[in-house]
């Protein structure tokens, strides 16, 4: 499994990297905003799963999600929104524009394992 | 500020520290209107709230407490000069604000949160607008002490 972590916080990317590595995944790409992720996605395919933050500068997660879903070449990429925005309206919006799943920060390694496992 | 609006932030702090930092002995002190003199601040993360209400939420740490907390979060030592220190505190306050605004008491205000800003410098204070009445909650734990500072006002 190849995973991309998209979060403007290097600390959060490091926490997620620690959690995912402990689950046995070592092929990990990191991006610090949506635009950076788009650039890296094009040269790092195939990527199986993207853990995507919502609030980021330059390009936020929901804009990135819409752009990825508009490009058929990224059709197979699973996207998990990974954000502190936990209102139902946010979850509905993310799923509506193409997120495969949603996990609310803060989360445990077990919760992340469960989300990755059901994809 | 009506103190009933404080509860979502206090609960979010407890949940965040238990899950991300592994703190099992976090204790919230009594809410106060003034910062205790015994809690000097070196590093603060602050997020603005807007929508049907306005305000801000901030976490204030000494460098030592911030280092201890972030080191525990990333499972690696963090020095007071490392960029991870301010980034990590910013992410903590971001998650706390995001969790708090989803609380049933705050949901009717349809709040939006800003990106986190960091304030660095020994002994700094955060000055709110004149009409604001921020409430301060001191937290203590074996990992370190810090202050939650919330200003919330209905438009």
């Amino acid at each position: 499994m190849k995973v991309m972590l998209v979060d403007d916080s290097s600390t959060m990317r490091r926490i997620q990297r620690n959690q995912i590595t402990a689950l046995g995944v070592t092929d990990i790409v990191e991006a610090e905003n949506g635009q950076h992720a788009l650039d890296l996605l094009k040269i790092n395919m195939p990527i199986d799963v993207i853990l995507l933050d919502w609030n980021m500068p330059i390009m936020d997660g929901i804009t990135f999600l819409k752009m990825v879903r508009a490009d058929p070449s990224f059709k197979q990429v699973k996207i998990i929104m990974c954000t502190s925005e936990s209102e139902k309206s946010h979850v509905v919006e993310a799923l509506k524009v193409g997120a495969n799943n949603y996990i609310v920060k803060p989360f445990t390694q077990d919760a992340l394992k469960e989300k990755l496992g059901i994809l | 500020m009506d103190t009933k609006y404080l509860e979502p932030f206090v609960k979010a702090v407890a949940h965040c520290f238990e899950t991300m930092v592994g703190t099992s002995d976090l204790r919230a002190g009594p809410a106060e209107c003034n910062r205790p003199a015994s809690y000097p601040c070196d590093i603060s993360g602050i997020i603005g709230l807007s929508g049907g209400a306005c305000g801000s939420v901030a976490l204030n740490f000494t460098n030592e407490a911030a280092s201890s907390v972030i080191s525990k979060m990333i499972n690696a030592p963090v020095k007071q000069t490392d960029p991870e220190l301010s980034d990590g505190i910013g992410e903590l306050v971001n998650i706390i604000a995001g969790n708090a605004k989803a609380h049933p008491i705050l949901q009717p205000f349809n709040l939006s949160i800003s990106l986190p800003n960091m304030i660095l410098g020994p002994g700094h204070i955060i000055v709110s607008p004149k009409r604001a009445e921020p409430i301060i909650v001191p937290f203590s734990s074996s990992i370190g002490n810090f202050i939650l500072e919330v200003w919330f006002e209905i438009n």
Side-chain angles (χ1 to χ4, degrees):
Chain A
M1 182 185 283
K2 189 172 184 179
V3 176
M4 175 183 271
L5 309 176
V6 188
D7 200 306
D8 58 322
S9 166
S10 60
T11 305
M12 184 48 67
R13 294 199 306 272
R14 188 155 173 184
I15 291 169
Q16 291 175 355
R17 175 180 280 274
N18 288 346
Q19 291 177 328
I20 289 171
T21 303
L23 294 173
V25 178
T26 53
D27 201 354
I28 300 168
V29 180
E30 294 187 25
E32 58 189 35
N33 59 62
Q35 184 57 59
H36 188 207
L38 271 182
D39 296 341
L40 290 181
L41 193 58
K42 289 167 188 164
I43 58 173
N44 280 282
M45 286 297 286
I47 283 180
D48 300 295
V49 180
I50 298 175
L51 293 183
L52 179 63
D53 187 22
W54 189 302
N55 293 318
M56 295 179 287
I58 302 175
M59 182 189 288
D60 64 21
I62 211 77
T63 305
F64 169 81
L65 179 56
K66 288 174 183 171
M67 293 183 77
V68 169
R69 288 303 179 231
D71 187 334
S73 59
F74 302 136
K75 193 179 173 186
Q76 300 304 318
V77 181
K78 307 293 185 190
I79 299 181
I80 301 176
M81 289 302 291
C82 181
T83 166
S84 64
E85 302 277 354
S86 58
E87 290 100 319
K88 190 177 175 184
S89 59
H90 282 87
V91 179
V92 169
E93 183 183 356
L95 296 177
K96 197 174 171 181
V97 297
N100 299 86
N101 217 314
Y102 200 102
I103 187 168
V104 177
K105 298 176 189 173
F107 50 82
T108 61
Q109 185 173 303
D110 285 345
L112 182 58
K113 182 182 178 183
E114 188 186 331
K115 294 288 181 182
L116 289 171
I118 62 175
L119 288 174
Chain B
M1 173 181 160
D2 190 330
T3 52
K4 73 178 179 185
Y5 297 120
L6 189 64
E7 184 192 350
F9 297 96
V10 173
K11 281 191 169 176
V13 168
H15 177 54
C16 191
F17 272 73
E18 186 180 342
T19 308
M20 293 186 76
V21 191
T23 313
S24 56
D25 62 349
L26 190 68
R27 292 177 300 276
E32 301 171 33
C33 294
N34 297 301
R35 176 182 291 147
S38 58
Y39 287 83
C41 294
D42 300 319
I43 178 167
S44 296
I46 184 165
I47 277 191
L49 307 169
S50 59
C54 62
S56 63
V57 53
L59 293 180
N60 317 142
F61 293 84
T62 61
N63 281 327
E64 291 76 15
S67 297
S68 174
V69 166
I70 304 304
S71 296
K72 195 87 195 303
M73 270 172 65
I74 65 172
N75 200 26
V78 175
K79 289 183 286 188
Q80 293 175 13
T81 51
D82 288 345
E84 280 86 0
L85 200 63
S86 55
D87 181 87
I89 298 300
E91 185 61 13
L92 269 178
V93 73
N94 179 48
I95 293 172
I96 288 163
N99 282 202
K101 79 187 185 81
H103 190 284
I105 292 177
L106 297 182
Q107 275 197 20
F109 299 108
N110 196 23
L111 294 172
S112 295
I113 58 174
S114 70
L115 291 168
N117 281 305
M118 302 306 301
I119 306 168
L120 309 176
H124 69 260
I125 56 169
I126 297 172
V127 179
S128 302
K130 251 183 185 174
R131 63 192 165 94
E133 296 173 335
I135 292 183
I136 284 154
V137 181
F139 282 85
S140 59
S141 78
S142 54
I143 294 176
N145 302 338
F146 63 94
I147 289 172
L148 168 71
E149 191 166 336
V150 179
W151 163 47
F152 185 84
E153 190 171 294
I154 299 167
N155 291 332

